[in-house]
Amino acid sequence: MFTSAMVEKDACHSCLTAVRVLRVSLVDELEGQVDSLLEVLVCQEAFTRDDREEVLCQPGPRARVRKVLDILECKGEEAAKVFFSVRSHQQLSLNTAQPPSTEYKKVQQKHKDILRRRSESMLFYNSRHGEKILFSEHYVNLLLVDGHQALEIKRHEVLAFGQERLSLQHKTGLQRKIAPATLFLRANEKRPIRKVLVTGVAGIGKTILVQKILFDFGGNKDHLAFDFVIHMSFRDLNLIDKPTNFRELVLRKNRHLSKELDHIFVNDDRLLIILDGFDEFKHYRSCDAEVFVTEPEEDAEVKEILGSLLQGELLPNASVMLTSRPTAINHIPVGCIDRYVLIAGFSLTEVQDFFIRFFQDATVADRMFSTVSANELMLTLCYIPAFCYIVCCILNESKDLCRESPKTMTDIYVQYLVALLRSHSRSRTETCPEDQGAESIQQLSDVVLKLGRLAFKKLMEHQTLFYSSDPEVAGLERCSLVSTFLDKTVAQEPGCTEEVFSFAHLTVQEFFAALYCAVTDQPLPDAIQSGENQNNEHLDLFSRFLSGILSDRNFKFLSRQVGLGCQEEKVEMYHKKIITDLTMHCQNGSHILNCLHCLFEQQDPSMVLAALPESLRVNVSDETLSQMDHNAIKYFLSLTEGKILSELDLTGTGVNRDSLRDVQPFLYRCQKLW
């Protein structure tokens, strides 16, 4: 193998020959020094000022080096000798590390100031003008986990509830937990980490993590060992519909970098490029193309530029962080990713921290967190920051979710659904206004029904994990909204990999299944129609969500917000069913707890008045009662005030002195207490 020095020695009798032979290596070597080289060549009179002007007209440092070499070939041997003499002196000076120029440092600091200003405020689903939420006061640490998730762990997470779910979150992530500052660092790593993929379900905090990195960099945090961080959003990139180049992509929102951009590109090993929201890119299926761009000034389609950047053809030494929802990552070239990071959201500690930062009062935050902790369904999904925020908003409005102004689980899940739907619709409309494929609210609602059909069918089959080969999953493949609600895990088999899908949690699947049943012609499951649901406990939550969706306030809200309307006949039929079931259970003393939950979800006192039988027997036996169960029981008993309670069966419920004290106001009218 011949080195550059060997070639130069063999060609020493002709410097011009060396220019031709070493052309490729000279371009790589001199791209960071071409401006100073050019000035010396003019001073040595090897180049004229016109030559210099011709070189400087070239777009980018590598093109300028090539123009210098072209001019040398035209000028002949003497000019080539001067060139190699100047190059030798430059190499000697480079051996003593040169500090960044004053101008470079000034631009760097200005860029940091701008990034800090841009990232100092947080925006939420319901942010309004004048309501500034400071990032420094409200950011809560996210749990970042290194590597892919095992399928068995995923199965446990989908089925775990309440504090168990949040504890599982902490335990499974503890061994592989990493900090944002170490995304590009790994112990005992032999090769550098250049490309990092960060993924997680909708609302889990991907964009917030990006904001954290920009905020820290702008605040001169020492742990970010980069000179510059360039941030690009795929929502913005969707607006570009003609060929461009990477330089122009950077300058679209960073004109202040124009004077030093060549130096930034030359020192690409000190550059971090953040690409946020790959799943929102309208060309995300086309980034694995074999059309490459190698120069920042080279014009091409946006998908070709980004594909070249991800695959290391463009700025090969730059670090790139890419964020995406799980359902789109199979379109990212596998070989280009050095590290796979999963955002797992919040553990119990972070949920508590979120409450403190949201309410800005430790006493109020503790009281609100206690309210949520008593409701395991609500606490379960608080590991998702977006869900946690919506819970806090509702708590803030009512001040006490289950007492002063009762709200139900269905209310919160409906708010969560609407927030994500509206956010998805707004982002698509803003970034693709001319795109005929951009979904309207009605189109999004149609996709929700497809998700509901999948959820309903799999719930009836007792399935929580679904494979890409399932017809119901395959039918959703090209629906961009799917990534908002479905999570994806890549299972590794001995001879292949297989994509496994699930909803964020079993409760989300049950909610979608109930929504589908409520707003379509789908008949109620036989177990619910026959009133034998006590023998089909896996449908308890489904029936509660169904009741809440068919309540007057929620079906009107869904119709108004996202075009999902319930049939009046089904609403009326279900109301009659609850009244009939309530009357039957009270008369014969059969197990009534799930029926009371369905009544609680309705929040309609008139239903109790219509259902009251002569005999009032309340049997909630043989089931350990949670705070949610106590709330449903007390709600019913409070609406039957003045009515004789002939029997209250608390056998085997784990009831204690505190629990009895909680229902004490109703016991004075109880004839028999078991």
Side-chain angles (χ1 to χ4, degrees):
M1 181 172 178
F2 294 95
T3 65
S4 174
M6 293 168 63
V7 172
E8 287 186 59
K9 184 176 179 181
D10 291 341
C12 63
H13 61 282
S14 172
C15 290
L16 199 57
T17 301
V19 167
R20 293 169 183 151
V21 173
L22 298 171
R23 183 179 180 90
V24 174
S25 61
L26 285 172
V27 171
D28 291 335
E29 175 192 321
L30 298 174
E31 62 174 318
Q33 313 161 43
V34 63
D35 292 344
S36 58
L37 172 71
L38 191 58
E39 293 302 321
V40 178
L41 288 175
V42 173
C43 290
Q44 298 273 348
E45 297 184 352
F47 273 32
T48 66
R49 285 181 294 179
D50 288 342
D51 294 332
R52 176 176 61 187
E53 188 173 330
E54 187 177 353
V55 172
L56 293 175
C57 285
Q58 300 303 308
R62 293 175 69 85
R64 291 173 192 165
V65 177
R66 293 190 186 98
K67 178 53 70 174
V68 167
L69 300 179
D70 291 342
I71 294 174
L72 285 173
E73 288 198 47
C74 295
K75 286 187 174 290
E77 184 68 20
E78 288 302 317
K81 285 181 180 179
V82 174
F83 166 78
F84 277 108
S85 173
V86 172
R87 171 178 170 255
S88 297
H89 281 94
Q90 282 199 331
Q91 284 180 325
L92 285 173
S93 64
L94 283 173
N95 287 336
T96 58
Q98 296 293 316
S101 67
T102 303
E103 186 61 30
Y104 185 87
K105 288 183 176 179
K106 285 172 61 178
V107 171
Q108 184 184 40
Q109 188 56 51
K110 182 175 182 178
H111 184 60
K112 288 185 175 184
D113 293 341
I114 289 173
L115 289 186
R116 185 172 180 82
R117 174 177 54 77
R118 289 176 180 174
S119 58
E120 67 182 3
S121 299
M122 300 181 83
L123 292 177
F124 290 101
Y125 296 110
N126 58 350
S127 293
R128 297 178 295 187
H129 293 297
E131 298 177 341
K132 198 167 188 178
I133 302 172
L134 295 180
F135 186 86
S136 58
E137 295 179 3
H138 287 80
Y139 173 76
V140 175
N141 288 327
L142 295 162
L143 180 60
L144 307 182
V145 179
D146 193 13
H148 292 268
Q149 192 175 36
L151 200 58
E152 194 57 33
I153 291 175
K154 182 64 183 177
R155 193 188 309 275
H156 287 161
E157 288 185 350
V158 167
L159 296 175
F161 283 86
Q163 293 210 20
E164 181 189 350
R165 172 65 180 83
L166 293 174
S167 297
L168 186 64
Q169 174 98 332
H170 178 72
K171 291 174 184 175
T172 57
L174 194 60
Q175 300 300 318
R176 299 179 291 141
K177 184 178 179 181
I178 57 176
T182 61
L183 283 171
F184 292 89
L185 301 172
R186 184 187 280 153
N188 304 319
E189 187 69 29
K190 293 183 178 179
R191 60 188 181 86
I193 297 175
R194 298 288 188 204
K195 308 294 189 299
V196 174
L197 171 60
V198 178
T199 186
V201 297
I204 202 72
K206 296 180 293 296
T207 298
I208 291 296
L209 174 63
V210 169
Q211 189 172 353
K212 166 69 172 169
I213 292 173
L214 297 176
F215 185 79
D216 282 354
F217 179 76
N220 287 308
K221 293 290 180 68
D222 294 335
H223 59 249
L224 289 173
F226 297 101
D227 284 354
F228 287 88
V229 177
I230 304 295
H231 169 236
M232 294 183 187
S233 155
F234 281 98
R235 290 186 181 184
D236 292 338
L237 295 174
N238 280 338
L239 298 172
I240 302 171
D241 56 2
K242 60 183 179 181
T244 184
N245 56 63
F246 188 69
R247 170 185 289 272
E248 285 304 315
L249 290 182
V250 172
L251 293 178
R252 280 169 63 86
K253 291 192 173 181
N254 300 282
R255 289 287 170 190
H256 56 280
L257 299 180
S258 57
K259 291 183 179 179
E260 292 295 323
L261 197 52
D262 288 343
H263 292 115
I264 294 171
F265 288 158
V266 167
N267 299 307
D268 58 347
D269 60 324
R270 306 284 298 173
L271 173 64
L272 169 61
I273 301 164
I274 299 177
L275 303 173
D276 186 24
F278 177 76
D279 54 284
E280 297 179 351
F281 188 36
K282 61 184 178 182
H283 301 299
Y284 75 85
R285 293 182 177 89
S286 309
C287 282
D288 200 6
E290 293 297 323
V291 179
F292 293 134
V293 173
T294 58
E295 302 295 339
E297 299 78 21
E298 187 177 343
D299 285 351
E301 298 293 335
V302 172
K303 61 184 179 183
E304 295 168 354
I305 295 172
L306 297 179
S308 300
L309 185 66
L310 289 174
Q311 297 184 68
E313 299 293 333
L314 176 63
L315 300 177
N317 296 315
S319 298
V320 178
M321 176 178 139
L322 181 69
T323 74
S324 176
R325 291 176 186 169
T327 48
I329 64 175
N330 58 308
H331 295 283
I332 299 168
V334 174
C336 73
I337 299 300
D338 301 317
R339 185 176 219 173
Y340 178 94
V341 176
L342 178 70
I343 301 183
F346 292 157
S347 66
L348 190 63
T349 302
E350 281 73 43
V351 173
Q352 291 173 306
D353 189 19
F354 188 95
F355 273 63
I356 291 171
R357 291 175 181 271
F358 182 93
F359 291 104
Q360 299 286 296
D361 183 315
T363 303
V364 174
D366 286 345
R367 182 162 60 87
M368 295 302 180
F369 183 75
S370 296
T371 301
V372 172
S373 297
N375 186 328
E376 65 175 9
L377 291 184
M378 195 188 309
L379 185 62
T380 297
L381 281 194
C382 278
Y383 81 91
I384 300 176
F387 187 88
C388 196
Y389 173 77
I390 290 170
V391 167
C392 285
C393 285
I394 294 175
L395 283 167
N396 197 41
E397 291 172 4
S398 66
K399 294 304 180 191
D400 192 325
L401 195 62
C402 302
R403 295 182 180 88
E404 296 173 19
S405 178
K407 296 285 183 180
T408 72
M409 269 311 302
T410 308
D411 293 346
I412 294 174
Y413 277 66
V414 165
Q415 292 280 354
Y416 181 55
L417 167 71
V418 170
L420 293 185
L421 278 177
R422 302 291 289 187
S423 175
H424 179 98
S425 174
R426 184 166 56 250
S427 70
R428 300 280 167 174
T429 304
E430 288 173 354
T431 59
C432 307
E434 76 295 338
D435 187 354
Q436 295 301 312
E439 302 100 327
S440 65
I441 287 293
Q442 186 57 52
Q443 288 171 315
L444 294 178
S445 300
D446 292 342
V447 178
V448 169
L449 293 182
K450 291 181 181 178
L451 282 168
R453 187 185 304 117
L454 169 69
F456 182 83
K457 183 176 185 296
K458 297 301 181 182
L459 184 66
M460 296 303 112
E461 297 171 357
H462 300 262
Q463 292 184 29
T464 56
L465 302 180
F466 346 112
Y467 292 85
S468 54
S469 55
D470 288 348
E472 293 84 1
V473 176
L476 292 166
E477 184 181 357
R478 300 193 68 84
C479 300
S480 58
L481 179 63
V482 170
S483 63
T484 303
F485 297 102
L486 281 188
D487 194 5
K488 183 175 78 172
T489 303
V490 178
Q492 197 169 44
E493 304 293 342
C496 64
T497 59
E498 188 165 13
E499 296 172 354
V500 183
F501 294 85
S502 68
F503 288 90
H505 191 263
L506 174 61
T507 54
V508 179
Q509 181 179 347
E510 290 172 305
F511 173 77
F512 268 93
L515 182 62
Y516 175 72
C517 192
V519 301
T520 67
D521 294 330
Q522 174 66 44
L524 297 180
D526 292 340
I528 293 180
Q529 286 201 55
S530 63
E532 298 175 357
N533 199 36
Q534 61 267 32
N535 298 321
N536 294 272
E537 292 182 357
H538 75 287
L539 294 179
D540 280 356
L541 286 179
F542 167 84
S543 60
R544 297 174 197 178
F545 279 132
L546 180 63
S547 181
I549 292 167
L550 290 173
S551 68
D552 186 66
R553 69 192 183 287
N554 276 327
F555 86 73
K556 286 182 178 178
F557 181 75
L558 284 168
S559 177
R560 186 170 68 250
Q561 291 294 325
V562 291
L564 287 170
C566 302
Q567 299 174 335
E568 292 285 349
E569 298 81 7
K570 182 169 281 190
V571 172
E572 187 176 345
M573 178 270 293
Y574 192 80
H575 285 185
K576 289 180 179 178
K577 173 179 167 42
I578 290 180
I579 293 171
T580 302
D581 289 350
L582 195 61
T583 303
M584 177 190 70
H585 290 308
C586 284
Q587 283 179 335
N588 61 25
S590 55
H591 201 270
I592 198 174
L593 185 59
N594 197 58
C595 187
L596 296 185
H597 275 290
C598 291
L599 177 69
F600 182 79
E601 290 290 339
Q602 284 282 327
Q603 292 293 302
D604 183 358
S606 65
M607 296 181 71
V608 177
L609 298 176
L612 283 182
E614 293 182 5
S615 175
L616 196 59
R617 302 169 65 190
V618 178
N619 177 6
V620 292
S621 63
D622 299 323
E623 191 164 339
T624 302
L625 298 180
S626 67
Q627 186 59 51
M628 292 171 59
D629 298 327
H630 281 289
N631 291 337
I633 295 167
K634 287 190 295 181
Y635 175 74
F636 172 67
L637 293 178
S638 67
L639 293 177
T640 59
E641 189 173 0
K643 191 76 175 176
I644 296 296
L645 185 59
S646 58
E647 185 176 298
L648 176 59
D649 192 347
L650 298 174
T651 308
T653 61
V655 68
N656 55 30
R657 185 171 56 184
D658 292 335
S659 303
L660 284 174
R661 186 181 297 117
D662 207 24
V663 295
Q664 185 177 359
F666 309 105
L667 295 181
Y668 74 92
R669 53 191 173 98
C670 179
Q671 294 179 332
K672 292 181 181 179
L673 177 64
W674 303 94

